[in-house]
Amino acid sequence: MFTTRPTLRGGFGMASSTHWLASATAMAVLEHDGNAFDAAVAAAFVLHVAEPHLNGPAGEAPILLAPAGRPPRVLCGQGPAPAGATVAHYRGLGLELVPGTGPLAAAVPGAFDAWLLLLRDYGTKSLAEVLSYAIGYAERGVPAVPGIGAAVAAVADLFRAEWPDSAAIYLRDGRPPEPGALLRNPALARTWRRVLAEAEAAGSDRESRIEAARRVWRSGFVAEALTAAAARPTLDTSGERHAGTLSGDDLANHAAAYEDPVTYDWNGWTIAKPGLWSQGPVFAQQLALLAELPDYGTAEYHHHLIEASKLAMADREAWYGDGATVSVATLLSPEYNAERARLIGPTASAELRPGRPDGAPPRLPAFALAETRDAPTGFGIGEPTVGPDGGVRGDTCHLDVVDRWGNMIAATPSGGWLQSNPVIPELGFPLGTRLQMAWLEPDLPNSLAPGRRPRTTLSPSLALRDGEPVLAFGTPGGDQQDQWSLHFFLAVALYHGDDLQAAIDAPNWHQESFPSSFYPRATNPNGVVVESRFDAGVIADLERRGHRVRVNGPWSEGRLSAVARDPETGVLSAAANPRGMQGYAAGR
């Protein structure tokens, strides 16, 4: 098969991400005797500078790590709802949904603390070393990718009229940055330099300085600026100005934490995913429904995957969330999935059909069932779809690293987007908006509630064989992440083998028959979006079965990154997505 570039192979180290500067940064750290975790932390902070429309320091970062010789772990960089974020408070403001922008949508920021906890526990480098790359890029500038200019152009009027501090960085000379123009963020560089100075004044060894930096974020000058920004009434997607609920106590009391992954065995592979506070188990549920999978690439194969995805996403809507009471073991059990698989018929189903795990009746959000909401054009593509009010769908980053010692990591940083909250002038970055994924309806697993994590779409993946981690991968794309990444994994497992690039380059698609996680929570029953490289006969067959197929551009579906390690030979490999013209792998 023709591929856009080769699968990289070597024995020293490999990195892959959604931006070439992050991949290059990760390799630079590996070359200076850092391990995969040092490299990932440094790359993550560079992504804040190089892809500010896709992630930021006050966003979130679910992380899957596999230290050499030890079982994989999840590091949860998803912050919870503040103490004041109750359904009653939001309903009292006359809201039916959490706004898609503004401080009212801000959860407790989780990314910064997660990256520093990872560095403390599994890294070897100092905080100053890993932050030096991001500081340099923020001061000297990064060449703007087209997506930044497009995102800023969409909200330029909002910046000019309402968010002047955002305009000061992203509308210099009154215009969005042109592709390739140097984009500088001196305020962000000053923030990191001050964090380092205060951390270094607090201790002399590596770990004490990292802990001091975490305290600066939680209760020092960073926390003060974050809470002041949350308290300022800001125009949001509701069309009104609202203040947020984030407080100093919320920041002081939050800390990232480790947990066990959800795992599922399939055809000799073990998949590891984040838990039900994410959509990660959707990946495993789809695999559980594929006991009898038709021949790879046929129309029957794609139809089966589409219908399995609908069933898994219906369960996501009914059962997933930080307040979940369902057993993951039941959701992935052979008995439950044999019953669910019988619902897959020869034609498309437009119904949202959650199951009854352990006999419990499902409950879906009333808003999701009230009426059909057709998805707007462009919904769900890898780069963000941004409205003039800053509303965003499906924008995220991803990075993977593996080193010569066998350490492996996959992470999906997101949130804190430049277009969805005003830049905080003292810090150089905005608050996040992840609370928009929680429902303003009580007694659901994903209901808004203080201390509860909003169910995130962010979903990195690890795959093991015989207990050994062999593959780390993931993609941006909001609700589509566990569709696009599943298609990549099946391409590796069933067809392309160790040719990661061929599996990434294969034509991709997603289905939209479920409520979006992003404001305004659109749904598109029987909607399927395919790349134009899809076989015309397959498209015709899907349409004959009742799928409403929309054909997008030839390279429009997914932005996957992946690294791998052969435990028998020690050979490392990596590949990155050509879609969007900015993802790259690096290694030797």
Side-chain angles (χ1 to χ4, degrees):
M1 173 185 171
F2 169 79
T3 59
T4 56
R5 55 187 82 160
T7 294
L8 304 185
R9 291 184 172 87
F12 179 81
M14 293 282 164
S16 181
S17 80
T18 48
H19 197 288
W20 63 85
L21 291 179
S23 299
T25 295
M27 279 307 300
V29 174
L30 294 178
E31 294 285 2
H32 286 85
D33 293 324
N35 64 22
F37 310 118
D38 297 311
V41 175
F45 281 98
V46 167
L47 285 172
H48 297 157
V49 184
E51 294 189 318
H53 59 312
L54 303 178
N55 78 138
E60 41 278 333
I63 300 165
L64 271 165
L65 59 145
R70 286 181 278 175
R73 305 186 78 184
V74 173
L75 174 51
C76 178
Q78 172 60 65
T86 65
V87 169
H89 175 67
Y90 286 65
R91 288 290 191 178
L93 297 172
L95 297 171
E96 188 178 22
L97 294 173
V98 178
T101 62
L104 202 57
V108 180
F112 181 87
D113 196 64
W115 289 120
L116 265 62
L117 186 62
L118 177 69
L119 182 67
R120 186 197 73 181
D121 293 344
Y122 292 96
T124 64
K125 295 294 187 181
S126 70
L127 181 59
E129 287 175 293
V130 297
L131 273 178
S132 65
Y133 303 90
I135 291 171
Y137 283 125
E139 289 179 335
R140 296 188 297 273
V142 296
V145 295
I148 296 177
V152 173
V155 291
D157 289 342
L158 177 68
F159 280 15
R160 294 185 186 105
E162 299 282 343
W163 300 359
D165 295 311
S166 299
I169 294 176
Y170 298 110
L171 281 176
R172 291 180 182 173
D173 302 321
R175 298 187 305 274
E178 296 287 336
L182 279 181
L183 183 63
R184 297 181 176 88
N185 192 339
L188 179 58
R190 287 193 296 270
T191 295
W192 296 147
R193 288 196 181 280
R194 183 174 172 184
V195 168
L196 289 175
E198 295 193 16
E200 289 170 1
S204 58
D205 63 283
R206 192 183 79 91
E207 290 192 10
S208 65
R209 289 178 173 179
I210 293 171
E211 282 302 298
R214 295 176 74 196
R215 290 194 296 274
V216 171
W217 181 276
R218 291 176 184 162
S219 56
F221 81 95
V222 176
E224 292 173 1
L226 290 171
T227 54
R232 283 192 285 270
T234 302
L235 184 67
D236 58 38
T237 51
S238 73
E240 299 180 1
R241 288 177 174 81
H242 294 109
T245 61
L246 181 68
S247 72
D249 286 344
D250 295 319
L251 286 161
N253 294 331
H254 173 68
Y258 299 100
E259 55 190 64
D260 293 330
V262 168
T263 59
Y264 183 72
D265 295 331
W266 183 84
N267 285 8
W269 297 80
T270 299
I271 297 296
K273 299 290 292 185
L276 288 170
W277 52 269
S278 77
Q279 71 173 4
V282 161
F283 188 110
Q285 280 202 260
Q286 290 172 99
L287 285 177
L289 290 163
L290 303 180
E292 298 180 9
L293 190 60
D295 290 343
Y296 178 82
T298 62
E300 181 67 22
Y301 170 89
H302 291 296
H303 169 72
H304 195 95
L305 285 181
I306 292 167
E307 295 303 299
S309 176
K310 291 177 185 178
L311 294 173
M313 293 302 260
D315 272 357
R316 185 194 77 165
E317 287 310 305
W319 299 110
Y320 288 27
D322 214 16
T325 57
V326 69
S327 163
V328 174
T330 299
L331 289 175
L332 298 178
S333 68
E335 297 78 15
Y336 179 73
N337 284 284
E339 176 186 346
R340 296 285 281 155
R342 285 194 286 271
L343 296 175
I344 300 176
T347 58
S349 171
E351 295 180 64
L352 195 64
R353 300 179 290 177
R356 300 171 64 93
D358 296 323
R363 182 176 169 208
L364 292 164
F367 182 89
L369 299 175
E371 59 185 86
T372 297
R373 294 174 174 84
D374 283 334
T377 300
F379 167 67
I381 61 174
E383 284 288 343
T385 303
V386 182
D389 56 5
V392 180
R393 299 174 190 87
D395 56 324
T396 304
C397 304
H398 186 81
L399 65 93
D400 307 294
V401 187
V402 61
D403 64 29
R404 61 190 184 275
W405 300 289
N407 298 304
M408 186 177 286
I409 183 169
T412 311
S414 188
W417 308 307
L418 69 87
Q419 62 272 23
S420 56
N421 250 314
V423 165
I424 303 167
E426 309 96 298
L427 302 179
F429 59 84
L431 289 165
T433 53
R434 191 61 57 174
L435 287 188
Q436 68 181 286
M437 297 189 170
W439 292 106
L440 294 183
E441 185 176 340
D443 304 321
L444 296 171
N446 190 34
S447 296
L448 181 70
R452 181 182 284 183
R453 293 167 290 188
R455 188 194 68 214
T456 183
T457 56
L458 307 174
S459 189
S461 303
L462 284 174
L464 300 84
R465 290 186 76 86
D466 300 321
E468 289 276 349
V470 297
L471 182 63
F473 59 102
T475 178
D479 295 302
Q480 284 64 251
Q481 289 182 33
D482 283 300
Q483 298 184 61
W484 290 334
S485 59
L486 176 72
H487 307 159
F488 160 79
F489 170 73
L490 291 173
V492 170
L494 301 176
Y495 191 69
H496 293 291
D498 63 358
D499 192 347
L500 302 181
Q501 193 63 53
I504 286 174
D505 287 355
N508 215 326
W509 56 268
H510 73 269
Q511 64 90 10
E512 300 176 340
S513 290
F514 54 89
S516 168
S517 296
F518 296 88
Y519 183 93
R521 314 304 292 264
T523 188
N524 184 17
N526 277 343
V528 178
V529 182
V530 305
E531 292 181 330
S532 61
R533 295 181 294 131
F534 244 72
D535 180 87
V538 171
I539 293 174
D541 190 283
L542 293 176
E543 291 176 330
R544 180 183 60 79
R545 294 170 184 267
H547 300 286
R548 297 167 55 204
V549 180
R550 184 171 80 243
V551 180
N552 269 358
W555 298 93
S556 56
E557 290 289 297
R559 287 201 294 136
L560 279 142
S561 304
V563 300
R565 179 178 182 270
D566 185 328
E568 293 185 3
T569 64
V571 171
L572 311 178
S573 57
N577 186 63
R579 301 164 178 91
M581 299 294 286
Q582 62 192 66
Y584 271 89
R588 70 172 179 87

